[in-house]
């Protein structure tokens, strides 16, 4: 069986006490059939440090971008495009909108401009966008439509919205990724959306080191735990774990243009 963690922050894991190093973390993942992962950046310096940390390990691909909560200091748009053009980078992001912590008009405008720029670079480079949204549903959907994000494709990562939002994203051609949140006791609306999303548009992720799924809540998350998300979703959707693994791995390959030979 072959599972993919489609969204993890490998530069933020605990390599002092939880893992002895990157290879130890990867071996723990492989022991649970998690054999490939997408390492996602939140800043441009963070992307460079993460790429140096991981190196050319074949079971890891990269996404390059600036998280909406990390843009107030500004960043070089040209540098983003240059870094994202690296063949190891298969996606833009994570990008998007987060109005939970930032509510001033100038902050929202900075987020929106950055989001639009990521999509434009994604369309130019033919690399999908990884979208974060929190308390910004309508603006997120509006910008995706206005910037023709369907042309490069993308995924709403760590999905926490409702079925109606999922329908709109699917119509746009997007994929939807579920994290450990779907296992939480109070997440019934999210489970309803997960039942609705077809297998051929579904991804799984940890968003590690955050949001560890049941039964690991309270611990630091890690890519190995994406198997727990997969097992939960398989039961929820009434399919075997093997079927869900095969579908989500194929979806990852298709969306991020990762050669299927690397995922076998």
């Amino acid at each position: 069986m072959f599972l993919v963690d489609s969204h993890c922050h490998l530069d933020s894991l605990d390599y002092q006490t939880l893992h002895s190093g990157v290879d130890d973390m990867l071996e723990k993942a492989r022991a649970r059939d998690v054999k490939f992962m997408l390492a996602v950046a939140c800043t441009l310096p963070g992307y460079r440090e993460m790429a140096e940390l991981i190196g050319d390990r074949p079971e890891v691909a990269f996404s390059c971008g600036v998280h909406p909560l990390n843009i107030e200091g500004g960043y070089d748009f040209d540098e983003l495009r240059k870094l994202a053009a690296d063949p190891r980078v298969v996606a833009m992001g994570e990008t998007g909108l987060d109005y939970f912590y930032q509510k001033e008009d100038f902050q929202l405008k900075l987020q929106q401009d950055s989001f639009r720029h990521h999509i434009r670079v994604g369309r130019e480079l033919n690399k999908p966008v990884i979208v974060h949204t929190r308390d910004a549903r309508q603006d997120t959907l509006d910008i995706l439509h206005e910037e023709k994000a369907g042309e490069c494709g993308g995924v709403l990562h760590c999905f926490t919205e409702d079925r109606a939002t999922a329908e709109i994203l699917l119509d746009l051609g997007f994929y939807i990724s579920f994290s450990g949140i779907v296992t939480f006791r109070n997440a019934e609306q999210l489970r309803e959306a997960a039942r609705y999303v077809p297998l051929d548009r579904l991804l799984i992720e940890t968003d590690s080191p955050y949001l560890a799924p049941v039964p690991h809540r309270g611990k630091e998350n890690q890519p190995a735990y994406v198997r727990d998300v997969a097992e939960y979703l398989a039961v929820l959707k009434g399919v075997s774990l093997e079927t869900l693994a095969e579908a989500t791995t194929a979806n990852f390959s298709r969306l991020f243009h990762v050669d299927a030979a690397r995922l076998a």
Side-chain angles (χ1 to χ4, degrees), residues 191-209:
R191 286 188 279 274
E192 179 186 359
R195 293 185 190 100
Y196 169 73
V197 175
L199 275 179
D200 65 355
R201 302 288 283 283
L202 184 72
L203 293 175
I204 51 176
E205 65 173 272
T206 57
D207 201 16
S208 53

Side-chain angles (χ1 to χ4, degrees), residues 71 75 77 95-97 106-120 143 147:
I71 60 176
Y75 64 92
F77 285 179
T95 182
L97 304 174
F106 81 92
Q107 294 173 318
L108 307 190
K109 180 66 162 55
L110 284 173
Q111 289 192 28
Q112 293 162 8
D113 288 347
S114 176
F115 188 19
R116 292 180 187 277
H117 185 73
H118 279 75
I119 297 170
R120 291 169 188 172
I143 289 175
E147 296 296 333

Side-chain angles (χ1 to χ4, degrees), residues 97 99 109 112-113 115-117 119-120 123 137-152 168 172 174:
L97 304 174
Y99 295 173
K109 180 66 162 55
Q112 293 162 8
D113 288 347
F115 188 19
R116 292 180 187 277
H117 185 73
I119 297 170
R120 291 169 188 172
R123 289 173 57 203
R137 174 188 181 275
Q138 195 56 53
D139 282 357
T140 298
L141 295 174
D142 288 346
I143 289 175
L144 289 174
H145 280 288
E146 291 165 8
E147 296 296 333
K148 301 178 182 177
E151 292 184 4
C152 61
I168 295 169
L172 187 62
F174 264 53

Side-chain angles (χ1 to χ4, degrees), residues 32 48-49 67 70 76 87 99 105 112 121 175 209 218 257:
R32 302 198 71 206
R48 290 192 295 269
E49 292 170 7
H67 190 285
N70 293 335
D76 188 331
Y99 295 173
D105 287 345
Q112 293 162 8
V121 174
Y175 290 72
H257 312 296

Side-chain angles (χ1 to χ4, degrees), residues 170-192:
L170 292 172
D171 287 344
L172 187 62
F174 264 53
Y175 290 72
I176 294 175
S177 181
F178 292 93
S179 70
I181 294 176
V182 75
T183 71
F184 295 179
R185 183 183 302 176
N186 62 350
E188 188 52 44
Q189 175 181 277
L190 184 56
R191 286 188 279 274
E192 179 186 359

